Each structure stands twice: as structure tokens, then as C-alpha cells.
Amino acid sequence: MTETAATDETLPPESRSDGDQRPGGASGDTLPVRLSHYLLLQKLGQGGMGIVHAAYDEALDRKVALKLLRARDTGEGQQHLVREARALARLSHPNVVQVYEIVETDDRAFLVMEYVDGSRCAPG
């Protein structure tokens, strides 16, 4: 399993590298990060609201996608994320990813969603 990692911008303060030496690189480099029982594997994409990472769900032994708000996005952004999660959870359609859960902490929230391999989505 590949263990590339998230950048510090997307991570809660307790998960950031903070300049210490970690396996796989010099200080300040990216590193494998754990959020709850999810191990972030690689960045899949980003948009105006946040960044999506592939992650490994250690509790259920499966690959998932995590949508994290940008570190500086709080309050209104978290409310938007919760509304998005509720709307997606009401849908059941082959072209819409399933939302497994929303994790809310004091300082951040993230969506746990079905991981869809991009090669399965390509037309052709």
C-alpha cells in the first residue's frame, strides 16, 4: 500500500509535522497522517471548499475518500459541509458517491465517502 501523504495545510494542528523529523523525508515534508481511524494515503483533488484524499479505513478494512475543509475554513464552511453530507446521504444513484459519515470535531469536520477509482469513471 502506498503511503504518500497530505500537506500540512489540510491537517489539524495535532497532526502536522511541526518541523520534526519523520520517516520518508526532511522536516516540513509530507507524511502519512491519521485522522481518527483513517490513514490518509494521497491527495486526489481540491476545489474551492476543500481537499479530497484517498484514505484507508482501518476499522472496516477498506479504501475511502475523505473531504477535508481547508485549515482556514471554519464556521460557515463546516455548516456547508454538513448540509452537503445530508443532501448526498439522501441520494442513491450510480453516479453519486455514497457518504458513509461526517466527522465533526471542535475545530474541523470532514466527510467520509465511497472511494471511486478514477479509471472506472472515464468514458469509453
Side-chain angles (χ1 to χ4, degrees), residues 2-13:
T2 304
E3 290 191 359
T4 57
T7 60
D8 282 353
E9 176 191 358
T10 63
L11 306 175

Side-chain angles (χ1 to χ4, degrees), residues 38 49 51-53 55 64-69 78 80-86 88-89 97-104 108-114:
Y38 301 101
M49 189 170 142
I51 300 175
V52 177
H53 293 274
V64 296
L66 298 184
K67 182 176 186 176
L68 298 114
L69 292 176
Q78 281 192 330
H80 181 82
L81 189 71
V82 170
R83 286 192 307 271
E84 177 183 341
R86 288 179 178 157
L88 287 171
V97 296
Q98 290 292 301
V99 173
Y100 297 138
E101 74 174 315
I102 184 164
V103 178
E104 295 181 85
R108 88 179 295 134
F110 60 92
L111 289 181
V112 182
M113 303 176 293
E114 171 185 18

Side-chain angles (χ1 to χ4, degrees), residues 12-84:
E14 65 273 11
S15 298
R16 295 183 187 170
S17 58
D18 292 326
D20 61 348
Q21 294 290 329
R22 303 288 174 105
S27 62
D29 284 354
T30 59
L31 66 155
V33 173
R34 182 178 317 280
L35 295 174
S36 181
H37 58 279
Y38 301 101
L39 180 64
L40 298 185
L41 302 174
Q42 68 185 40
K43 178 179 163 182
L44 297 174
Q46 67 184 35
M49 189 170 142
I51 300 175
V52 177
H53 293 274
Y56 175 69
D57 180 344
E58 295 177 318
L60 296 176
D61 189 28
R62 66 181 174 183
K63 195 170 187 179
V64 296
L66 298 184
K67 182 176 186 176
L68 298 114
L69 292 176
R70 296 186 184 280
R72 63 188 174 275
D73 214 352
T74 60
E76 189 175 318
Q78 281 192 330
Q79 291 172 1
H80 181 82
L81 189 71
V82 170
R83 286 192 307 271
E84 177 183 341

